[in-house]
Amino acid sequence: MKKISDSEVRWGVLGVGNVCEVKSAPAMQLVPNSRLVAVMRRDEAKVRDYAQRHGVGKWYTRAEDLVDDPEVNAVYIATPPHLHLPWPGSPLLRASPFTSQSPWPAPTPNAWR
């Protein structure tokens, strides 16, 4: 797993949407040594609009591109809870520290491979 070796957390948000408008993402910009550097949403018009309104320099429509961004050193999963389960075991996130905006759904027998 990639470790945060410098003094700043540089966040990338997967699934930026309504909750990120007023809660988590704005807070990332207010905490010392924390910065929101990239956002991702499948809808290009919506993610571009979000990035422009919140002063985020990079936006993506593919999760892989955000996770591969060398400036991002931590990933925040902001998708709806029922879409969280695919992410933690994903090869996309094995190299990055990550968290989410809400609790993980209860694991099912095949949830963690």
Side-chain angles (χ1 to χ4, degrees), residues 53-74:
R53 287 184 294 105
H54 293 279
V56 180
K58 299 177 187 178
W59 56 266
Y60 300 103
T61 57
R62 291 175 4 109
E64 296 87 348
D65 296 334
L66 180 137
V67 173
D68 287 342
D69 184 325
E71 190 176 10
V72 172
N73 65 8

Side-chain angles (χ1 to χ4, degrees), residues 15-23 41:
V16 70
N18 293 337
V19 171
C20 289
E21 282 292 334
V22 295
K23 293 182 180 178
R41 186 170 178 160

Side-chain angles (χ1 to χ4, degrees), residues 2 6 10 16 18 25-28 34 36 38-39 43 47 49 58 61-62 71 79-81 87 94 112:
K2 182 179 2 176
D6 57 17
R10 294 182 308 274
V16 70
N18 293 337
M28 292 172 183
S34 174
L36 179 57
V39 291
D43 184 307
V47 72
D49 176 64
K58 299 177 187 178
T61 57
R62 291 175 4 109
E71 190 176 10
T79 58
W87 293 109
R94 288 192 184 134
W112 311 110

